[in-house]
Amino acid sequence: MAGKKATGRQDAVAAIIEDWARERPELDTSPLEVLARLHRTFLRYHAELSAAIERHGLAVAGFDVLTALRRAGSPYRLTAGQLADSGLISSAGVTLRIDRLEKDGLIVRERDAEDRRVVYSRLTDAGLAKVDEVFAEHLDNERRMLAELSPAERRQLARLLSKLERSIVASAASADGDA
């Protein structure tokens, strides 16, 4: 059976698919083979990611802010709106994250010299050192998690996940148009 591991035990998704095949054989459960595995993989990845980042006294959300500021380049500063638009950070709670990082001495808030209404969050020297250290470890951790995939498999998986994301976005847009 395809879902059997070398030990003879099924993985959890294969067991779920087998149960549905028994209970509702008329249903095509093939989406579970991809999306249930993707979900389970994400949960495991997120647990590993969180544990590694939390060992440095950071939350994942704060780490996302620090990495967005670091990627911005010198002088490592962005407005709250720019942080929210940076890709991985939701606008809800940006201020709370900034408050915590500022309290920890990793960022400072600065007003724009030409427009005092504009407030930037900027990495401090301690914040720059922290994000550089933690991000390097983060990449090592991700490499460890991907160790059983060859470079070619990683590239193929990245292409397929990009295509999957586009498919999900298109599906959501299509569903919104049907409403």
Side-chain angles (χ1 to χ4, degrees):
M1 177 171 279
K4 298 279 185 183
K5 291 184 178 178
T7 61
R9 294 186 359 230
Q10 284 184 316
D11 70 38
V13 174
I16 290 167
I17 291 168
E18 187 176 279
D19 290 345
W20 279 116
R22 182 187 66 247
E23 295 298 316
R24 295 283 311 273
E26 76 280 8
L27 295 178
D28 173 14
T29 58
S30 62
L32 293 176
E33 297 214 34
V34 173
L35 297 173
R37 283 193 175 90
L38 184 62
H39 179 69
R40 290 173 54 82
T41 300
F42 170 76
L43 293 175
R44 288 187 172 138
Y45 163 76
H46 193 265
E48 291 278 328
L49 167 78
S50 297
I53 289 171
E54 288 168 3
R55 281 194 291 275
H56 292 276
L58 295 171
V60 172
F63 179 66
D64 288 345
V65 170
L66 294 176
T67 58
L69 292 170
R70 181 63 172 96
R71 289 190 329 265
S74 185
Y76 311 113
R77 70 181 197 171
L78 297 169
T79 65
Q82 289 170 320
L83 283 166
D85 292 340
S86 69
L88 298 175
I89 304 165
S90 69
S91 56
V94 168
T95 301
L96 292 174
R97 295 172 190 170
I98 291 170
D99 288 345
R100 170 72 193 269
L101 294 167
E102 186 175 41
K103 183 176 100 27
D104 291 344
L106 300 174
I107 66 168
V108 293
R109 287 184 172 109
E110 300 175 331
R111 293 216 177 263
D112 187 282
E114 296 174 19
D115 185 348
R116 303 290 293 159
R117 294 171 297 176
V118 177
V119 178
Y120 291 100
S121 295
R122 180 182 55 79
L123 286 176
T124 62
D125 290 343
L128 180 60
K130 175 71 85 172
V131 71
D132 282 350
E133 173 192 5
V134 177
F135 189 68
E137 288 183 25
H138 169 70
L139 290 176
D140 288 342
N141 190 33
E142 288 189 335
R143 269 189 284 284
R144 181 186 53 77
M145 286 188 265
L146 293 171
E148 292 192 27
L149 299 175
S150 71
E153 288 171 327
R154 291 180 193 187
R155 288 188 300 275
Q156 179 184 22
L157 182 57
R159 282 190 303 273
L160 290 171
L161 289 172
S162 178
K163 187 173 183 177
L164 174 61
E165 183 178 10
R166 289 190 307 273
S167 179
I168 291 171
V169 168
S171 171
S174 172
D176 289 345
D178 292 342

